[in-house]
Amino acid sequence: MKSFVFLACALFAANSSAFDSFSAESARVTNEIKCPNPKITGGSGSWGALYGCVGGQAETVKFFINEEPATGHVKNVKFIWNDWTENGGYGLHADKALARSWASVLGTMYAPQHVDKVLKAFFGNSDITIKGESHILKYTHHSGPAADQRMIVVVEQ
């Protein structure tokens, strides 16, 4: 009986992990957002590896995964859209449709019960924290002279 309880607890702990390993999470994100050209920069010293996918005609939509150094675990996920508020050659709000699509995927992956709230926050101008089932999503908005930075940082609860 003790073995059964221990095994059940071990299986629960393994299945309740908020993030997959860095390599598995990178593959999952690549598949979910249909990243055409993902890149992984290896870690060194006190820096873990970095997954990156940059998308959109104006390359304003970015998805990053930071690895905890030397562990193979995910430290956090960052999703950024540099929302042009002045025409930088690709029109106002360049790549907005892709930003909306990837924000929806991010919400579905990390806060599936709150996708509408994630989208509303991401296109709003107020910082907000959204608590999902196993992740915390922190949205920040910074206005610049020609572009706003809209960013969601995802961490485990």
Side-chain angles (χ1 to χ4, degrees), residues 94-105:
D95 305 325
K96 185 176 184 176
L98 183 64
R100 178 173 297 283
S101 174
W102 285 13
S104 180
V105 170

Side-chain angles (χ1 to χ4, degrees), residues 30-60:
T30 296
N31 183 56
E32 293 293 328
I33 65 172
K34 310 291 187 247
C35 181
N37 192 23
K39 294 187 178 160
I40 294 180
T41 304
S44 78
S46 63
W47 294 89
L50 174 67
Y51 166 92
C53 183
V54 177
Q57 186 178 13
E59 298 184 338
T60 63

